[in-house]
Amino acid sequence: DAGVTQSPTHLIKTRGQHVTLRCSPISGHKSVSWYQQVLGQGPQFIFQYYEKEERGRGNFPDRFSARQFPNYSSELNVNALLLGDSALYLCASSPGTSEAQYFGPGTRLLVL
Amino acid sequence: GQSLEQPSEVTAVEGAIVQINCTYQTSGFYGLSWYQQHDGGAPTFLSYNALDGLEETGRFSSFLSRSDSYGYLLLQELQMKDSASYFCAVVRGFQKLVFGTGTRLLVSP
């Protein structure tokens, strides 16, 4: 079975631009979560969606938004990019029946 | 507020046993998870403890004491491939993880 997939793998943007990151969960998983990981730190929770509804939001500004589609794939959008948004963005899926989350390889975003 | 504390780095030799401790302060505690992350890779789920006690999965075991706000990950029969970062993560709500800063484990021959 395919694992969690994310696209693109790498992205370079400039300050003020907008970015959309995509995630496809493991087949059958209805929960998708997004995390931001800065080098040398643990992942930080951004959003969690279950059955297409937002179930949790971390301490991130309104420039960050997300949605989940009927096929359970998800998008993370970041507007008005700042240098500090440079990070690895991780998507994780779960069937929702256990606490194990399965992470994708991430999208590495560099903001110049 | 919330905080998780782990040692920043631990070193050990192949075949040895190593314990990585995690203390936490948080509200809304559901349980404690552990994840492994190799350099350049994605975090991989290792274990989850909702109740006090020891959970064993192969060479890895995880322990939780809710009254002490403390847990640990025990790695036995260390192998070179175990060199990675290990994160404890508090489960604060449905599928919501709060990660620690991670412990870098270096296994030498």
Side-chain angles (χ1 to χ4, degrees):
Chain A
D1 280 345
V4 177
T5 59
Q6 293 186 242
S7 63
T9 55
H10 295 81
L11 204 51
I12 299 175
K13 292 284 189 179
T14 56
R15 280 177 296 175
Q17 285 190 309
H18 162 270
V19 69
T20 297
L21 310 181
R22 295 178 175 82
C23 171
S24 291
I26 293 171
S27 177
H29 286 193
K30 300 179 179 180
S31 172
V32 170
S33 301
W34 287 95
Y35 295 84
Q36 180 196 66
Q37 187 175 25
V38 174
L39 195 63
Q41 297 183 20
Q44 273 201 292
F45 174 77
I46 309 176
F47 284 110
Q48 192 258 329
Y49 278 79
Y50 181 74
E51 286 280 20
K52 293 153 283 182
E53 290 190 8
E54 182 184 303
R55 295 294 189 93
R57 174 185 285 251
N59 189 23
F60 279 79
D62 291 343
R63 300 185 295 108
F64 289 76
S65 64
R67 54 180 175 168
Q68 186 177 33
F69 298 98
N71 66 354
Y72 302 109
S73 67
S74 178
E75 279 184 357
L76 175 70
N77 294 282
V78 187
N79 293 323
L81 284 167
L82 304 175
L83 296 179
D85 295 331
S86 295
L88 178 68
Y89 288 84
L90 294 161
C91 171
S93 77
S94 169
T97 54
S98 76
E99 289 304 330
Q101 293 193 29
Y102 300 87
F103 284 80
T107 294
R108 197 164 294 278
L109 173 65
L110 177 61
V111 182
L112 301 176
Chain B
Q2 56 201 24
S3 68
L4 291 90
E5 291 191 12
Q6 307 177 231
S8 58
E9 188 172 291
V10 173
T11 58
V13 296
E14 269 188 306
I17 299 173
V18 73
Q19 179 173 312
I20 299 174
N21 298 321
C22 173
T23 58
Y24 59 87
Q25 282 187 308
T26 184
S27 57
F29 179 85
Y30 282 61
L32 191 71
S33 288
W34 288 90
Y35 285 80
Q36 177 194 62
Q37 186 176 30
H38 287 97
D39 284 348
T44 303
F45 173 78
L46 294 176
S47 67
Y48 172 65
N49 294 66
L51 303 175
D52 286 1
L54 190 69
E55 295 277 348
E56 298 181 67
T57 309
R59 295 188 296 115
F60 294 1
S61 303
S62 57
F63 172 84
L64 175 65
S65 169
R66 295 172 72 108
S67 59
D68 294 324
S69 299
Y70 163 76
Y72 66 73
L73 180 69
L74 189 74
L75 299 86
Q76 304 182 73
E77 302 172 17
L78 280 174
Q79 302 175 10
M80 295 292 290
K81 67 178 181 180
D82 297 330
S83 292
S85 292
Y86 292 84
F87 294 92
C88 61
V90 164
V91 179
R92 283 202 66 213
F94 180 62
Q95 302 289 303
K96 180 181 178 182
L97 296 173
V98 177
F99 282 84
T101 51
T103 298
R104 192 170 182 85
L105 171 64
L106 301 173
V107 181
S108 56

